[in-house]
Amino acid sequence: MNHSELPAFLKSRRDRIRPADAGLTAGPRRRVPGLRREEVAQLAGLSADYYTELERGRGAQPSAQVLAALARALRLSGDERDHLYHLAERPVPTPQATAAHPQAALVGLLDRLTTTPAQVITDLHQVLVQNPLARALLGPPPATRGPEASFVHRWFTEPAARAVHPVEDHPHHSRIFVADLQAVAARRARDPEVTRMVAALRRRSEEFAALWEQRDVALRRTDHKRIVHPVLGVIELDCHNLFSEDGRQRLLWFSAPPGTEGAAQLELLSVIGTQDMTAGAERLGRGQG
């Protein structure tokens, strides 16, 4: 590991990120231009002490999993991510393994969406990065990785995940999720990540298995949703998706027509932000796709 260049590179990358871009509050006494070390550690799921050792170059040897988490937390581009692996003297991930790294073009657009909830997700509905309003609306994504991080997986295996939508809307969302996954599975034929997830869902959920046998296929591009917020109640919003060139990631954002109750609720959401009012959402791990 390059014990001088890796720490310098990590520090340079965290210095350029505004706290608001990462869904954090700047606070009145911030003395650093970007993120604090403990904030990077929190975003990457690491201990503050471990990340501090990394940035000081004092012997920590980051694994490939740690590097992937740091690349996401620091919003590295593809070239920057590869550079991070080179500095750590780890093999650069294959294209399949890097599918869960948010694409720079989508993150760039996400950063410009400051007045509407938006997030970048994978084609398996794993949340990669959120803006502050998406976190306020949906809560943070789960800390797990792999299929269990997929909102589709949790929709069919964790009853609490469905609390984000009114009960009467559940059949609609189940059909939409399965039809979308059918299209993804066909495009990624023989991809073990997809085949394992489909097999697990067919085994664990009778509802999923029955819908899968219907063979309805439709990538979800737009949808109308009612979202249950722990403070604002039911919010009616339109959901839009912008697909990456390879189809493996999507920029998802929510909007409401001007003058509607949903638009007013979004304005109020920007005021209350991620205060303690979203604690109930965090307990449910709502971060959905």
Side-chain angles (χ1 to χ4, degrees), residues 151-194:
F151 187 72
V152 174
H153 187 279
R154 290 185 290 121
W155 179 264
F156 289 102
T157 61
E158 300 177 18
R162 298 194 173 200
V164 70
H165 297 301
V167 173
E168 55 269 29
D169 296 350
H170 290 181
H172 165 76
H173 292 295
S174 293
R175 291 192 300 271
I176 293 296
F177 281 138
V178 174
D180 187 88
L181 186 57
Q182 282 274 13
V184 171
R187 188 179 65 246
R188 296 174 59 182
R190 293 182 294 278
D191 185 324
E193 181 184 26
V194 181

Side-chain angles (χ1 to χ4, degrees), residues 17 56 82 84 125 132 135 138 142 161 191 206-207 211 213-215 219 225 267 271:
I17 300 177
R56 289 177 176 173
D82 292 352
L84 177 67
H125 297 260
R135 184 173 289 257
L138 304 167
D191 185 324
E206 293 183 2
E207 179 190 21
L211 289 171
E213 288 303 315
Q214 293 180 15
R215 291 176 170 78
L219 283 173
K225 292 188 174 186
E267 289 185 11
V271 175

Side-chain angles (χ1 to χ4, degrees), residues 18 61 67 74 77 103-104 115 129 133 221 237 260 269 284 287:
R18 297 176 302 171
Q61 299 289 332
L67 294 174
L74 294 171
S77 68
Q103 296 185 15
T115 61
V129 60
L133 278 178
R221 293 179 172 86
L237 299 170
T260 63
L269 184 70
L284 293 175

Side-chain angles (χ1 to χ4, degrees), residues 186-248:
R187 188 179 65 246
R188 296 174 59 182
R190 293 182 294 278
D191 185 324
E193 181 184 26
V194 181
T195 55
R196 283 196 298 266
M197 180 170 158
V198 170
L201 288 174
R202 296 182 72 176
R203 184 172 61 252
R204 297 181 59 181
S205 170
E206 293 183 2
E207 179 190 21
F208 178 89
L211 289 171
W212 190 260
E213 288 303 315
Q214 293 180 15
R215 291 176 170 78
D216 291 336
V217 180
L219 283 173
R220 188 183 69 178
R221 293 179 172 86
T222 61
D223 197 5
H224 185 77
K225 292 188 174 186
R226 296 195 299 164
I227 296 176
V228 181
H229 187 270
V231 175
L232 301 178
V234 177
I235 309 175
E236 291 200 31
L237 299 170
D238 294 317
C239 176
H240 314 272
N241 288 268
L242 175 67
F243 292 74
S244 63
E245 186 174 356
D246 63 3
R248 297 289 293 270

